[in-house]
Amino acid sequence: MHSSSVSPASSASTSLSSSSGSPSPLAAYGWDADRETEFAPYAERGLLPGRVVRVDRGLCDVVTAAGVVRADTEFVVPRDPLKVVCTGDWVAVDPEDADPRYVQTLLTRRTAFVRSTSSKRSEGQILAANVDHAVVAMSLAVELDLGRIERFLALAWESGAQPVVVLTKADLVPDPVALSYLVEDVEASAPGVPVLTVCARDGDGVDELAALLGRGTSVLLGASGAGKSTLANALVGEDVMGVQATRDMDGKGRHTTTTRNLLPLPDGGVLIDTPGLRGVGLYDAGTGVGQVFAEIEEFARDCRFHDCAHESEPGCGVRAALEDGRLPTRRLESYHKLVRENQWIVAKSDARMRADVRQDWKRKQAAGRAAGEAKRGRGPWRPAPPR
């Protein structure tokens, strides 16, 4: 049995109190005074704070003041897929003496990047937690898909993070005029969002991006072949992520990154690299859609009817902007598409929630009837089976 002269409780309190007098080793990962206050009750129980840097099949790597530890998530497995332990979460783990270690609780998430798992289902999948910047990487090796950029941005705004669009492989567009036109197209589709061009292989634009990301937490998003791993290596300053060549015919690549990994940045802050995303389904992102299409929301203020669908209603301010050229047709079509998709997902989610409530109510009714029968001596009472 391992012995120690310092109790788990005193060890935990020491690690936390040291962060008050001098910078905590976790400060580089985003630990701050508010987190320390929130964690105080868990410190009194002898638990240690840490941030999840990787999750893999019920186990996770957690960086603590003493280094990275491996912990089991068995005690915090929820029925809600949006509440599973995720890269970027702050957690309380068992003290150093515990073997094996377990994640005992999750701290409050400040932000969460969520997408729907499928266009035909209504379940959400959390990709990263406690994120300050959502970096959307789009490769210039292929034709830009503005609609896909708008999807990413809607999810980013909805998450609570500040989105950034990075056009990678800028060396493949050597004509500066042509490159400026591409940037203008993206900026028109991304109001209020910084748009940068980067050639990570040569280092062009990397310093500007690193300065923009600051000392917070950033998540790197994009399709396979978008150059995310090369960009992650350039930002971190070393080859921490594997890189594979893309196909010449379509600029696509294999999934170099297979898990979400949290990587420290040399100038402060951390970066979460994610696997390539084939689908970018919306998930209850109504506010995010509104921010992506801010100019349409502004034009809608001139509509005669407050519930105008901007299709064939008289006195529509949005249609007026379309007719006089202030609003491109593609933007309005994309807006309608994302609004309809989001409404469908929300309706499906509500229907599934109502179905779960009905099933729970029926189980409780059955248990009540069985208890009544048992009380009247008409048969043994058995509790309803767990869900």
Side-chain angles (χ1 to χ4, degrees):
M1 180 176 178
H2 176 71
S3 61
S4 174
S5 60
V6 181
S7 69
S10 62
S11 175
S13 61
T14 299
S15 69
L16 287 173
S17 61
S18 64
S19 65
S20 300
S22 60
S24 164
L26 292 178
Y29 291 87
W31 184 262
D32 56 27
D34 289 339
R35 288 294 185 195
E36 186 168 337
T37 299
E38 181 183 3
F39 194 82
Y42 305 108
E44 293 176 357
R45 291 166 46 189
L47 300 178
L48 298 177
R51 194 166 194 191
V52 177
V53 298
R54 177 187 170 103
V55 179
D56 185 23
R57 298 180 182 179
L59 299 174
C60 63
D61 292 335
V62 180
V63 61
T64 70
V68 177
V69 302
R70 192 76 160 158
D72 196 311
T73 63
E74 180 181 353
F75 293 162
V76 288
V77 176
R79 284 159 51 181
D80 186 346
L82 296 182
K83 296 181 181 178
V84 299
V85 176
C86 178
T87 302
D89 271 324
W90 285 100
V91 298
V93 297
D94 285 333
E96 187 175 355
D97 289 346
D99 185 22
R101 295 198 189 199
Y102 287 91
V103 173
Q104 295 293 341
T105 192
L106 272 70
L107 274 63
T108 304
R109 285 172 177 158
R110 295 176 180 173
T111 62
F113 193 97
V114 180
R115 68 161 180 173
S116 66
T117 55
S118 167
S119 61
K120 297 181 179 179
R121 299 168 64 182
S122 57
E123 296 177 355
Q125 177 191 22
I126 181 167
L127 299 182
N130 300 307
V131 172
D132 301 298
H133 299 95
V135 182
V136 179
M138 301 294 293
S139 172
L140 290 174
V142 295
E143 184 177 356
L144 282 177
D145 186 342
L146 297 178
R148 186 176 178 85
I149 293 175
E150 289 162 346
R151 285 175 170 274
F152 270 118
L153 295 180
L155 294 176
W157 283 124
E158 193 69 34
S159 75
Q162 165 67 52
V164 180
V165 177
V166 176
L167 304 181
T168 64
K169 307 182 183 181
D171 57 312
L172 299 180
V173 187
D175 182 356
V177 175
L179 184 59
S180 67
Y181 286 151
L182 291 172
V183 171
E184 288 177 5
D185 287 344
V186 175
E187 288 176 337
S189 301
V193 176
V195 179
L196 305 180
T197 59
V198 169
C199 176
R201 185 179 60 184
D202 300 333
D204 294 340
V206 174
D207 289 344
E208 183 181 359
L209 175 59
L212 185 62
L213 300 184
R215 300 181 60 84
T217 298
S218 304
V219 61
L220 188 52
L221 306 154
S224 294
K228 297 195 307 329
S229 295
T230 304
L231 182 57
N233 289 338
L235 288 168
V236 174
E238 57 182 295
D239 292 338
V240 292
M241 306 303 299
V243 177
Q244 294 180 349
T246 56
R247 298 195 298 252
D248 290 335
M249 67 182 75
D250 55 11
K252 294 182 179 179
R254 300 173 195 161
H255 290 290
T256 303
T257 305
T258 56
T259 59
R260 290 178 281 279
N261 303 279
L262 189 146
L263 311 168
L265 297 176
D267 295 328
V270 290
L271 177 71
I272 299 175
D273 192 19
T274 63
L277 299 175
R278 290 191 181 91
V280 193
L282 299 186
Y283 187 82
D284 197 5
T287 301
V289 171
Q291 287 183 266
V292 173
F293 298 92
E295 80 278 27
I296 295 180
E297 300 276 303
E298 186 65 29
F299 293 143
R301 296 177 183 273
D302 296 328
C303 291
R304 180 183 303 176
F305 305 108
H306 73 277
D307 58 349
C308 182
H310 319 309
E311 291 178 346
S312 58
E313 298 86 346
C316 175
V318 174
R319 302 298 300 186
L322 183 70
E323 291 169 4
D324 64 21
R326 289 176 294 157
L327 177 64
T329 301
R330 190 206 67 80
R331 283 283 283 174
L332 183 57
E333 290 176 348
S334 183
Y335 172 77
H336 281 313
K337 182 177 182 179
L338 295 190
V339 166
R340 285 193 296 266
E341 179 182 325
N342 192 67
Q343 289 174 340
W344 184 87
I345 287 291
V346 170
K348 288 282 288 183
S349 299
D350 289 345
R352 183 161 55 87
M353 186 180 300
R354 288 195 297 270
D356 289 344
V357 170
R358 283 198 299 271
Q359 289 178 359
D360 190 51
W361 179 73
K362 289 179 180 179
R363 277 191 294 272
K364 290 179 179 178
Q365 264 199 330
R369 285 196 299 268
E373 294 290 333
K375 185 177 291 186
R376 290 190 293 270
R378 297 182 181 178
W381 175 78
R382 295 183 178 88
R387 290 189 66 181

